Amino acid sequence: MPSSTDLSALRADLKRKLTDGTYASLSERLSMIPRRIFPGFIKSNLSAFLFWSLLHFLCSNLLYFLDGIEAWKDWAVITFISSFLFWWGVFLYADLYRQLYKVLSEYVVDAMPQPGDILKLDGWIKRASDFKWVLVFFIFFMVFLFGYQFPFLTAIHDSPGIGSIIVSMSAYIPLSIVQHQLLALMLFPLVLSRYEIDLYELDPGISPSLYHLSLVIRNSSNSLSIYATIFTFYLVYLLKMPFFPTGIFYLLPLLGIFVFRQIGLSLIVGRARWTTLERLRTKMEKLDVEHHFDAPAVYGQYKAMLEYYTRVKNAEAGIFDARTGTLLFNSFILPLIAFLLFQFDRIVDFIGRFIH
């Protein structure tokens, strides 16, 4: 059985890794590169975002020059917008992960009483932050998306040169980073639900660890819904590409983040409640009250424990309620409006068939 010293050491080690950059997301690591190249570079997400966006834009323009001046003229403005939009998603996640790691370090890790759970969480975060997963996503997009999008590229460029093809493929780099971090964020509540976390017994929903974790994931859904909406307009109106399948990679994960957040938090509350009820049940059985009805002190203690047991069992989980539905609606209202706008003509035609 590990001692309290071992538990404290494990907690301190994981919190150090979360704050010193050991488990920094790839977005966070990218934000550090400009400062390593230029020591006087401003330390902020905004400056790193501008650095990578402009670098992507300049490299794309050089590649378009390989295909001729006409290709550059046709795509200079679109490339400028695309570079900023793709890298905005990357550094949006850098900020979200920084907030998540802060909540883990300040609230969640200290609420984990089992050393084995801390080690497992440490191992999962280490694997999730591994760069190889970004490569997996990049290869997936190369195989799945490029073959689908190439006909549209051909229609736009007629006979696209090597520069245009490389520029199109370069968009998969920030896209892979975003999708990797999106998947990790989506799965994280489910992963955390496998571990024991101490919560308030009578009102688990207001426990600091659960409250702040829920708040970070909820806020991320709101931020990502705005980004997904703008990306949808860019994809359909600017690039003239169909919503499926690229847009699905941005909109469906929003639903996944919300649903998995609710399931994960419910499982965390359920595990904590079961642990408390099991502890109370064991203590109540030890009282052996059926053999001590004539002992007022024992019977009074049993009655008090039974009342507390009932209160814990019936305590409000605060997971699925009317407020939850409102949060889901708010997260999807902007993407829904975007979908209705770029499908407006088809919707009108469909309704027109029944009117006439």
Side-chain angles (χ1 to χ4, degrees):
M1 178 71 66
S3 66
S4 59
T5 303
D6 295 331
L7 179 60
S8 299
L10 289 173
R11 285 173 172 170
D13 184 57
L14 179 53
K15 290 194 285 185
R16 176 188 60 78
K17 293 175 181 177
L18 291 171
T19 55
D20 69 1
T22 302
Y23 292 157
S25 64
L26 184 56
S27 299
E28 188 72 22
R29 297 174 193 175
L30 287 172
S31 69
M32 301 175 186
I33 292 178
R35 294 197 296 273
R36 292 174 181 172
I37 300 175
F38 310 104
F41 198 83
I42 300 175
K43 183 179 179 180
S44 71
N45 259 5
L46 177 60
S47 59
F49 159 67
L50 293 174
F51 173 85
W52 287 105
S53 300
L54 291 173
L55 181 63
H56 192 173
F57 170 68
L58 293 175
C59 291
S60 297
N61 277 277
L62 290 175
L63 289 168
Y64 275 129
F65 269 118
L66 296 176
D67 294 345
I69 190 68
E70 292 302 322
W72 175 77
K73 288 181 179 179
D74 293 340
W75 285 89
V77 175
I78 294 179
T79 302
F80 180 81
I81 297 174
S82 300
S83 299
F84 278 82
L85 186 58
F86 275 112
W87 287 101
W88 174 29
V90 171
F91 289 99
L92 174 63
Y93 275 97
D95 184 60
L96 294 177
Y97 268 78
R98 194 178 297 115
Q99 295 177 41
L100 179 62
Y101 282 2
K102 182 178 180 181
V103 168
L104 288 176
S105 177
E106 294 182 357
Y107 300 101
V108 178
V109 174
D110 285 333
M112 298 177 68
Q114 299 299 328
D117 289 344
I118 296 176
L119 288 173
K120 291 176 183 177
L121 178 60
D122 189 315
W124 188 89
I125 296 175
K126 180 181 180 179
R127 292 190 296 272
S129 60
D130 196 324
F131 177 69
K132 69 180 180 183
W133 294 112
V134 178
L135 295 178
V136 171
F137 275 96
F138 182 77
I139 294 172
F140 170 78
F141 289 130
M142 283 287 295
V143 173
F144 179 73
L145 276 186
F146 188 72
Y148 177 83
Q149 293 177 341
F150 188 76
F152 298 98
L153 181 66
T154 303
I156 295 172
H157 287 282
D158 192 16
S159 298
I162 185 65
S164 300
I165 293 176
I166 294 175
V167 170
S168 298
M169 289 166 43
S170 70
Y172 297 146
I173 297 175
L175 178 61
S176 299
I177 298 173
V178 167
Q179 291 303 316
H180 162 248
Q181 296 182 146
L182 180 56
L183 180 63
L185 182 64
M186 186 170 61
L187 294 178
F188 184 73
L190 293 182
V191 173
L192 201 62
S193 68
R194 299 182 301 179
Y195 312 134
E196 183 178 343
I197 300 177
D198 289 335
L199 304 176
Y200 294 155
E201 295 178 350
L202 294 180
D203 196 352
I206 65 171
S207 302
S209 56
L210 197 67
Y211 172 78
H212 287 92
L213 180 65
S214 174
L215 188 63
V216 166
I217 300 177
R218 186 190 72 190
N219 290 343
S220 71
S221 298
N222 295 333
S223 302
L224 295 175
S225 67
I226 296 174
Y227 176 70
T229 302
I230 296 174
F231 181 84
T232 300
F233 277 109
Y234 153 82
L235 186 71
V236 177
Y237 287 115
L238 191 60
L239 295 187
K240 306 298 182 184
M241 294 184 66
F243 173 74
F244 182 85
T246 311
I248 295 296
F249 289 116
Y250 281 85
L251 295 184
L252 276 188
L254 284 176
L255 179 61
I257 287 177
F258 179 85
V259 172
F260 290 166
R261 165 185 174 266
Q262 302 309 120
I263 295 175
L265 296 183
S266 295
L267 291 174
I268 292 172
V269 170
R271 176 188 288 272
R273 176 177 294 170
W274 180 88
T275 300
T276 301
L277 293 178
E278 185 66 20
R279 173 173 54 80
L280 290 172
R281 189 182 301 114
T282 301
K283 289 183 177 180
M284 290 166 64
E285 290 177 352
K286 288 182 178 180
L287 290 177
D288 194 21
V289 70
E290 57 269 14
H291 294 97
H292 296 86
F293 283 113
D294 56 343
V298 175
Y299 185 73
Q301 184 180 1
Y302 178 84
K303 186 177 180 180
M305 291 180 68
L306 180 61
E307 180 181 351
Y308 188 73
Y309 181 94
T310 304
R311 291 178 63 188
V312 172
K313 184 178 180 180
N314 298 328
E316 177 62 46
I319 302 300
F320 292 100
D321 51 23
R323 184 169 176 268
T324 297
T326 303
L327 292 174
L328 176 62
F329 178 78
N330 290 340
S331 297
F332 276 87
I333 186 64
L334 289 177
L336 178 63
I337 292 174
F339 175 81
L340 293 176
L341 286 176
F342 71 69
Q343 296 289 348
F344 184 75
D345 293 339
R346 294 182 182 180
I347 294 174
V348 171
D349 291 341
F350 179 77
I351 296 176
R353 295 176 187 175
F354 298 93
I355 295 178
H356 299 295

